[in-house]
Amino acid sequence: MEHENPSPTGVVLMNLGGPRTLREVGPFLHSLFSDREIIRLPAQSALGPLIARLRTPRLEKVYAGIGGGSPLYDWTVRQGEGLVKRLDVLSPQTAPHRFYLAFRYTEPSSAQALRRMAADGVRRVVAFPQYPQYSCSTTGSSLHELWASARRLRLDTAFRWSVVDRWSTHPAYVQAMAAKVREGLAEFPESERDDVVVLFSAHSLPQRVINRGDPYLQEVAGTVRDVMRELGDRQEHVLCFQADVGPVTWQGPNTESVIRSLGKQGRRNILIVGIIFTTDHLDTLSEIDVEFAEAAEEAGVARFRRAPAPNDDPLFLDAMAQVVADHLAAGIPCGPQFGLRCAGCADPACREILNPVRPDPAGLDPAGTDPAGSGTSAPGAAP
Amino acid sequence: MEHENPSPTGVVLMNLGGPRTLREVGPFLHSLFSDREIIRLPAQSALGPLIARLRTPRLEKVYAGIGGGSPLYDWTVRQGEGLVKRLDVLSPQTAPHRFYLAFRYTEPSSAQALRRMAADGVRRVVAFPQYPQYSCSTTGSSLHELWASARRLRLDTAFRWSVVDRWSTHPAYVQAMAAKVREGLAEFPESERDDVVVLFSAHSLPQRVINRGDPYLQEVAGTVRDVMRELGDRQEHVLCFQADVGPVTWQGPNTESVIRSLGKQGRRNILIVGIIFTTDHLDTLSEIDVEFAEAAEEAGVARFRRAPAPNDDPLFLDAMAQVVADHLAAGIPCGPQFGLRCAGCADPACREILNPVRPDPAGLDPAGTDPAGSGTSAPGAAP
C-alpha cells in the first residue's frame, strides 16, 4: 500500500492564529489590522500598524490573564494528529495523510505549510478551514492568502487542491457539537435543567459584510438549527453575537446584552455555547469565561456555564475525520455553495481554487497529467 | 360522537390582514401605523394617522395594480375550510372544528372572531398565527390584540386557549415549502437548473427589533435550513430580506440589491421563494412579481421566477392540519420556546396566554372546572 501511493495527502488546517507568547501579541495585531478582508481602514498601511501598536498593551494583559498566550496552536496540533490517524483508517486509498497548519495572522504561515508540503513530496492537498461556517472574512481571507503564497513561492502548480469550504451542517459535526451542549447542560442541577436558556454565541460580523451577502449568518443559524434538532428541540435558546468592537455596526443581538437582560428578567440559568469555535482561545477563555461571567453575576444569573469547546474531544476528532473522508470520497473540488460569490462582491477572482482537483470519483488525479485541469481555474458548481 | 362533544373546537387563524377593496386601504394603513408593536413614532396618535393619510394614494395605486385589493382574505378562508375538514379526520376526539379569522389591521377583527365563537358555543380554542416564524411584531402583536379584545368583551374566561406559537420547522410545513421550491425549480429548463440561485426572501425587521432579541431571524434561517436539507442541500441559495421602508436600519441583505448584484455578476437564473408567506398578497404579487422582476430584467437576469405561494395547495393544507393536530394531541398551551421573552423586552406580561388549557394529555379540560387554571396566567415551560 505504502509503495503504491508514496505521496502523502496533505490536509491544511487553516485558522486565524493567535499569539503563543506575549511577545507575539504585537505582530499578531499588526498582521490582523493589515488584512483588508477583515478590517477596512482609511490609509490602512499607516493607520493599521498604529491601531495595532495602541491596542497591544491591553491585549498583552488579556493574554497574560489566560496563561500568557493563545492555546490555539497546541489544540490545533492535537486535532491534526487525531485527524490524520483517523483518516488513514477511514480513507486508506488516500493514505498516508499529513496535516499542516496555516495560520492567517501568526506562524506557522501558509508559506511555511506550502514549503513543508513540497519537501514532503505532497501532491494532493485538501484545504480544511477550521471555520465550519463560511465567511469571506475568515475562510475567504485564509484561502486568498494561501493561493497568493503559493504563487509567490512559485508552487502554484505543485499541488492539486480541493477545499472543504464549509462543514456547518455536516451530521458528524452537528452530533459532536450537540454532545458538547449536553455536557454543558449536565452541569446544571437536574431540577433546574428545564429552566436553562441556551445562548448560542457566535463571533459577530459587521452589518456591511452581512449586507454584501456574506453567507455567515445563514451558516451559523443553520448549525444552531441542526444542533437544536439533534437535541430534540426542547430547550429555550437564543442565537447571539459577541466580539463586536470598534465604531462599525455589528450583527446583533449582542451576547453580553442578552445575558444582562435575561438576568434582569429573572432568568437564573444560562448555558453559553461558543457555537462557531472549534478550540478554546481568547473568545472563550477571556470574553466568555471572564467578561460575560462577570456580567452574568452582576445581573443575578445564579448559574452561568459554558459548554466545553471541542478541542481534542475524540467525538470531535471523529467528526473532523469524517468531514474530510466524505470530501475525499466525493472527489470534488468544493461544495455546491462555494461558487456563489457574495452578491455585493467586486472581486471576480473570489471563490478561486488554485489548480483544483478534477471531479472524478477517486479524487486522485495526480498533478500534471491533465493539461486542461492544470493552472488556475475558478470552480464550477459541483456535480 | 357529535353528542358526546357538541362544543366545537375553535381554530383562530391570525394574520396581518389586507384591504379587500381600495376603500379599505386608508383604514388599513391607519390601523397599521397606530400599532406600537410594529412601528414606533413620536406622538404616534397624531403622526401615525398623518403618515397613513399621506401614504394612502400610493398604496391604493399599488393595490389597483394587483386587482383592486388583497387576496389574503379569500385565500385564508379557503385554507380555513381545508384545515377544519382535515382536522375532523385527523383529530376526531376534538371534532367538530371551526375556523375563525382574526386580522390585525383589517376586518374580520379579533373581536369579531371572539363574538362568533361565543355564539357558536366554542369553549376550547387554538390560536393559530399564520406566521410560521415567530416575531413579536407579528405573532406577538396579534396575540396581545386577541387577549385585549377578549378582556374588552368580557370574554376572558369564556374559552380555554392554547397557542401554536411557531411552526417554522414542523416537518409537514417544511415538506410543503420544499415542494413549492421544487415547483419553482421546474420552471427552469433542465439544462439551467444547476445554475439557479435560490433567494429565500423574508420580510425584513428593523435591527432594533433583532437586537432586542426577537427570535424571528433564527426562525426564518431555521426554516431555510430545514427546507434546504429536505431538498438535498444541492442548490446555491441566499437568505435575504425585503420590504424595508422608512428611515430605520433593517436586517439585510436586501433582496432587491442581491438580485441586482447577482445579475451584474452574470448570474442568469434566479428563483425567489417568499419563505415566510403562506398566501399571496402585496409582498409577492407586487413587490416580487413587479418590482423585483423589473430589477432582475434591468440587471440582465434572463430567468427570474417565483416559487408559488402555498395558498390552497392541498399539501400545504395537509401541513396546516398536521401542525394543529399535533398541537392538540400534545395537549400543551404552547411550544417550549414561547415562554422565553426577548432579552430586551420590558413588558412582564409578554408571552401571556389568556386562560390557558392545562397541560393534560387530551388537552380538553373544559373551562371553569379547574379553579387554579382559570383566569389569566403566564405559560410555564411546556413539559
Side-chain angles (χ1 to χ4, degrees):
Chain A
M1 220 30 202
E2 289 273 329
H3 287 276
E4 283 175 56
N5 182 21
S7 169
T9 300
V11 182
V12 182
L13 302 181
M14 309 167 79
N15 212 332
L16 201 78
R20 292 168 70 187
T21 63
L22 296 186
R23 286 178 50 192
E24 285 177 30
V25 171
F28 167 71
L29 282 178
H30 185 282
S31 181
L32 184 70
F33 280 96
S34 305
D35 181 6
R36 289 185 62 79
E37 285 175 289
I38 208 161
I39 293 156
R40 297 219 163 202
L41 300 166
Q44 187 134 7
S45 58
L47 197 54
L50 178 67
I51 295 177
R53 265 201 306 282
L54 290 171
R55 291 210 177 184
T56 296
R58 202 192 82 84
L59 196 64
E60 282 174 345
K61 210 188 268 177
V62 178
Y63 273 112
I66 64 162
S70 169
L72 181 69
Y73 175 86
D74 293 332
W75 284 126
T76 311
V77 168
R78 290 172 79 159
Q79 290 179 336
E81 288 165 353
L83 169 68
V84 296
K85 209 174 76 183
R86 285 162 173 82
L87 268 180
D88 287 348
V89 178
L90 283 175
S91 180
Q93 65 277 24
T94 51
H97 302 86
R98 293 209 189 145
F99 74 95
Y100 303 87
L101 305 195
F103 286 167
R104 183 70 186 82
Y105 308 115
T106 54
E107 302 209 318
S109 65
S110 295
Q112 287 168 310
L114 292 162
R115 278 198 213 97
R116 280 178 198 157
M117 289 196 293
D120 288 350
V122 170
R123 288 188 295 173
R124 169 79 173 90
V125 195
V126 177
F128 186 27
Q130 295 306 291
Y131 312 105
Q133 294 78 17
Y134 185 95
S135 167
C136 287
S137 56
T138 52
T139 301
S141 172
S142 278
L143 286 173
H144 286 170
E145 165 67 15
L146 184 65
W147 311 145
S149 292
R151 289 199 176 97
R152 274 195 302 267
L153 297 171
R154 300 186 187 278
L155 288 172
D156 36 347
T157 57
F159 314 107
R160 282 281 184 185
W161 288 95
S162 66
V163 181
V164 180
D165 50 280
R166 67 205 72 199
W167 38 302
S168 50
T169 57
H170 189 289
Y173 166 68
V174 168
Q175 282 157 25
M177 292 308 291
K180 303 316 286 185
V181 179
R182 277 193 211 100
E183 277 181 51
L185 284 171
E187 297 229 352
F188 293 81
E190 208 168 326
S191 58
E192 299 289 322
R193 222 162 282 164
D194 281 347
D195 183 60
V196 176
V197 184
V198 180
L199 301 194
F200 289 99
S201 186
H203 202 291
S204 191
L205 263 194
Q207 278 300 332
R208 161 182 69 74
V209 178
I210 303 275
N211 289 344
R212 191 169 67 202
D214 190 284
Y216 177 75
L217 192 58
Q218 74 194 49
E219 301 257 330
V220 175
T223 302
V224 169
R225 169 69 200 123
D226 280 9
V227 168
M228 282 308 300
R229 173 205 281 252
E230 182 73 21
L231 293 169
D233 278 326
R234 270 188 300 270
Q235 208 82 31
E236 292 174 320
H237 62 283
V238 181
L239 169 57
C240 46
F241 299 91
Q242 66 184 84
D244 43 347
V245 289
V248 303
T249 311
W250 296 79
Q251 177 67 48
N254 171 270
T255 305
E256 186 173 336
S257 304
V258 168
I259 293 166
R260 288 187 186 275
S261 302
L262 289 177
K264 231 185 270 175
Q265 283 182 15
R267 302 302 303 239
R268 290 297 164 258
N269 297 286
I270 290 181
L271 174 66
I272 188 162
V273 181
I275 188 63
I276 67 159
F277 307 126
T278 55
T279 68
D280 274 315
H281 58 296
L282 207 65
D283 292 19
T284 57
L285 300 174
S286 177
E287 191 172 21
I288 294 179
D289 291 354
V290 180
E291 292 175 46
F292 295 171
E294 276 173 20
E297 198 182 343
E298 282 170 23
V301 177
R303 276 164 293 269
F304 178 80
R305 302 283 180 273
R306 176 166 67 84
N311 294 337
D312 63 349
D313 183 332
L315 195 63
F316 188 75
L317 301 185
D318 291 348
M320 286 177 69
Q322 197 59 56
V323 167
V324 179
D326 288 353
H327 170 82
L328 283 166
I332 52 177
C334 59
Q337 185 84 340
F338 184 65
L340 179 67
R341 285 161 54 204
C342 300
C345 177
D347 175 9
C350 190
R351 309 306 173 103
E352 174 192 32
I353 296 178
L354 191 72
N355 200 30
V357 68
R358 299 203 57 218
D360 69 69
L364 280 169
D365 177 42
T369 58
D370 167 47
S374 62
T376 298
S377 82
Chain B
M1 217 37 200
E2 291 273 329
H3 286 278
E4 283 175 54
N5 183 22
S7 169
T9 300
V11 182
V12 182
L13 302 181
M14 309 167 80
N15 212 333
L16 201 78
R20 291 166 71 186
T21 64
L22 296 186
R23 286 179 50 193
E24 286 177 30
V25 171
F28 167 72
L29 282 178
H30 184 282
S31 181
L32 185 70
F33 280 95
S34 304
D35 181 6
R36 288 184 63 79
E37 283 174 290
I38 208 161
I39 293 157
R40 299 221 158 196
L41 300 166
Q44 186 134 6
S45 58
L47 197 54
L50 178 68
I51 294 178
R53 265 202 306 283
L54 290 172
R55 292 212 176 182
T56 297
R58 201 192 83 85
L59 196 64
E60 281 175 344
K61 211 187 268 177
V62 178
Y63 272 111
I66 63 161
S70 170
L72 181 69
Y73 175 86
D74 293 333
W75 284 126
T76 311
V77 168
R78 291 173 77 160
Q79 289 179 336
E81 288 165 355
L83 169 68
V84 295
K85 209 173 76 184
R86 286 164 171 82
L87 268 181
D88 287 349
V89 178
L90 282 175
S91 180
Q93 65 279 21
T94 52
H97 303 86
R98 292 207 190 146
F99 74 95
Y100 302 86
L101 306 194
F103 285 167
R104 183 70 185 82
Y105 308 115
T106 55
E107 301 209 319
S109 64
S110 294
Q112 287 167 310
L114 292 162
R115 279 198 213 96
R116 281 179 196 154
M117 288 196 295
D120 289 350
V122 169
R123 287 189 296 174
R124 168 78 173 90
V125 196
V126 177
F128 186 26
Q130 294 305 291
Y131 312 105
Q133 294 78 18
Y134 185 96
S135 167
C136 287
S137 55
T138 52
T139 301
S141 173
S142 278
L143 286 174
H144 287 171
E145 165 65 15
L146 184 65
W147 310 144
S149 293
R151 290 201 177 96
R152 275 195 300 267
L153 298 170
R154 298 186 188 278
L155 288 172
D156 38 344
T157 58
F159 314 107
R160 280 283 181 183
W161 289 95
S162 66
V163 181
V164 181
D165 51 282
R166 69 205 72 198
W167 38 301
S168 51
T169 56
H170 189 288
Y173 166 68
V174 169
Q175 282 157 25
M177 292 308 291
K180 304 316 287 183
V181 180
R182 277 192 211 99
E183 277 182 50
L185 285 171
E187 298 230 352
F188 293 81
E190 208 168 325
S191 58
E192 300 289 322
R193 221 162 283 163
D194 281 349
D195 183 58
V196 176
V197 184
V198 180
L199 302 193
F200 290 99
S201 185
H203 202 293
S204 191
L205 264 194
Q207 277 300 331
R208 161 183 67 75
V209 178
I210 303 276
N211 289 344
R212 193 169 64 201
D214 190 283
Y216 178 75
L217 191 58
Q218 74 195 51
E219 301 258 329
V220 174
T223 302
V224 169
R225 170 68 201 124
D226 280 10
V227 168
M228 282 307 301
R229 172 205 282 253
E230 182 73 21
L231 293 169
D233 279 325
R234 270 187 300 269
Q235 209 81 31
E236 290 174 321
H237 62 283
V238 181
L239 169 57
C240 46
F241 298 91
Q242 67 184 83
D244 41 347
V245 289
V248 303
T249 311
W250 296 79
Q251 178 67 48
N254 171 270
T255 306
E256 186 173 335
S257 305
V258 168
I259 293 167
R260 289 187 186 276
S261 301
L262 289 177
K264 229 184 275 176
Q265 283 183 14
R267 301 304 299 239
R268 290 296 163 259
N269 298 286
I270 290 181
L271 174 67
I272 187 161
V273 181
I275 187 65
I276 66 159
F277 307 127
T278 56
T279 68
D280 274 315
H281 59 295
L282 207 66
D283 292 17
T284 58
L285 300 173
S286 178
E287 191 171 21
I288 294 179
D289 290 354
V290 180
E291 292 176 46
F292 295 170
E294 277 173 20
E297 199 184 341
E298 283 170 23
V301 177
R303 274 164 294 269
F304 178 80
R305 303 283 180 274
R306 175 166 67 84
N311 293 336
D312 62 350
D313 183 331
L315 195 63
F316 188 75
L317 301 184
D318 290 348
M320 286 176 69
Q322 197 60 55
V323 167
V324 179
D326 288 354
H327 170 82
L328 283 166
I332 52 175
C334 60
Q337 186 84 341
F338 184 66
L340 180 65
R341 286 161 54 203
C342 300
C345 177
D347 174 10
C350 190
R351 308 309 172 98
E352 173 191 33
I353 296 179
L354 191 71
N355 201 29
V357 68
R358 298 201 58 218
D360 68 68
L364 280 169
D365 177 41
T369 60
D370 167 47
S374 61
T376 298
S377 81

